[in-house]
Amino acid sequence: MPATGKGSAHDPARRRFLCLCAGAGLGAAAVACDHTSVNRPSTAADSRRPEADRGRTGTRDWRTVSSGPPDAVAGYTDRISVTPGQECGLHVSTTASSFRVSAFRVGWYGGSHARLVWRSGPVRGRARPAGRALSATRTVRADWPRTLAFGTEGWPEGAYLLRLDADNGHQRYVPLIVRSTHGAGRTVLLHAPATWQAYNRWGGSSLYNGASGAYATRSLAVSFDRPYDVNGAEKFLVYEWAAVVLAERLDIPLAYTTGTDLHHDPGVLRGATALLCLGHDEYWTPEQRRHVAEARDAGTNVAFLGANTCFRRVRLEGGDPEGGGTGAGRTVVCYKTSYRDDPCYPSRPALVTTDFRQAPGADPESSLTGVLYEGYPVDAPYVVHAADHWLYEGTGARPGESFDHLVGVEYDRVTPGSPVPEPLEITAHSPLVCAGARGHSDSAYYTAPSGAGVFATGTMRWVEALMAGTPDGGRDHGMDARTRAFVTRTTENLLRAFAEGPAARHRPAPRPNTRQVYGTPV
């Protein structure tokens, strides 16, 4: 949102669950704990792929029931993501005497939406100090000692929710992505932990507000060395979870990664059929953006299921001059409107952390997404323009048909005069009023010379609509079952087509219509 608005799988030692307990009388001794695997796959390499998990039994007991007060139980991992078999550490604070950890893999699972992959034995609880703030950037960190470590042997690639169950009855999530190292022939799901962290107010500060609640006292950099606020996984559950469930339900090969991983290594995109950016993916590094554009130019289709995508330019940094931290790349830097205070200004303009469209180093996101972020907040109907587009096949939608509340809370549009790839077709054109000004939200589709297709929904509520009107709908903003059916079928059409390879080779070409829609030369 704008700143102004707001080891080996056969090694027995690797199969042990090591609890580094710091409770009274235990010191820092490592003790072997129960490492129970539920419906554990075979150790063959193929068992790590998501498809191998689709026929397994899920559980409905994956939701949290009571978060309790903020200090009841909370934690964070010392890795943003892991590869299957890699060890990960948990840093936990709780006022309870003990807690357990349950690892749930998100998927379809016959409508259960998750599978219990692993559960720990009881772990001694201990309350840790509140976070500390680094003076230079007002970065809040917990820097708690590692409470326990666990291995991920046999865990299929995917999106996981680690649930902390304290013996006082309170629970919280810790999200973890078990990422893919190879994505050839697969649709890659791109998770957005940099954006989760940007909005995270644990300890009192985010990239939007400081401890006083004011924008002027906000953090200029935020750290992964702290828990997420609210239930521990709010942004994942609101903007990503439903799309994961839908993609897992379809019979298409999938791979998983994060934006921070693409920043370091784009290897998972080599030969990928598609990249799926989820509902709110605002904060990108220039390296991540370059790697996605290069994949598109090599024939990988790209879908943007949200709005406000690739809006902020950030850096990933490790450590800090005041000490602490668990590893490199665990700090997200974004000075925004204070970009002149960024140490990269003015010597390295392409790395200055502000909006991509702003100087220095201006490079509007529309050259990648086809649409430009325009505003917040908004609530408006989604209006179909090109009802005969292949994306809408089977929806029954007619030209001008609308779906209430689907445009919100942020939106994008095709903006005449901004850099956009061609040929580009506006498929939905939705009138709205934002902050008293009239405007439009657009869904748009274009193809690259490589044959790759690129689709942007232009609204942040697309993923939320996938569960609208259901018990799992959460914040559905008044969207109904009709809207859910429309969005679900359109998304299925998109994912199935993009899974076939470069869309220009097997789907009709875009029909350029920006001038027709807006009455203005592009």
Side-chain angles (χ1 to χ4, degrees), residues 418-440:
S418 67
V420 295
E422 290 288 355
L424 179 143
E425 180 176 5
I426 294 171
T427 66
H429 186 57
S430 307
L432 53 83
V433 176
C434 182
R438 295 187 179 277
H440 290 85

Side-chain angles (χ1 to χ4, degrees), residues 9-10 15 37-56 83-85 105 109 115 117 152-158 160 178-180 186 248 254 256:
H10 302 287
R15 296 195 180 111
S37 179
V38 182
N39 289 336
R40 189 172 193 167
S42 71
T43 55
D46 284 349
S47 70
R48 297 179 178 181
R49 292 182 60 145
E51 304 92 277
D53 215 53
R54 289 177 183 165
R56 294 184 175 274
T83 54
R105 184 183 182 276
Y109 299 111
R115 180 173 78 86
V117 173
T152 59
E153 295 87 353
W155 294 29
E157 300 157 5
Y160 285 75
V178 178
R179 71 180 184 275
S180 310
R186 298 198 255 174
E248 288 269 341
L254 297 177
Y256 286 81

Side-chain angles (χ1 to χ4, degrees), residues 305-326:
L305 297 190
N308 192 217
T309 302
C310 192
F311 182 64
R312 308 282 193 188
R313 183 195 296 121
V314 303
R315 286 196 309 278
L316 297 179
E317 295 182 350
D320 66 83
E322 299 181 42
T326 59

Side-chain angles (χ1 to χ4, degrees), residues 350-389:
L351 295 181
V352 172
T353 55
T354 186
D355 303 347
F356 270 104
R357 67 182 72 176
Q358 299 293 340
D363 185 10
E365 69 274 16
S366 56
S367 64
L368 173 65
T369 64
V371 293
L372 204 65
Y373 173 65
E374 183 161 279
Y376 158 91
V378 71
D379 180 286
Y382 180 95
V383 181
V384 175
H385 180 75
D388 59 344
H389 197 279

Side-chain angles (χ1 to χ4, degrees), residues 19 95 98 131 159 199 219 229 261 274 293 313 353 411 471:
C19 300
T95 55
S98 68
Y199 287 86
S219 298
D229 59 359
D261 290 304
R313 183 195 296 121
T353 55
Y411 70 96

Side-chain angles (χ1 to χ4, degrees), residues 7-8 11 70 74 113 116 143 215 265 333 346 351 414 482-483 489 491 495:
S8 167
D11 180 358
H113 300 159
L116 178 62
D143 287 336
Y215 174 75
D265 181 8
V333 181
L351 295 181
V414 174
R482 174 175 163 270
T483 298
R489 179 57 188 264
T491 308
L495 294 184

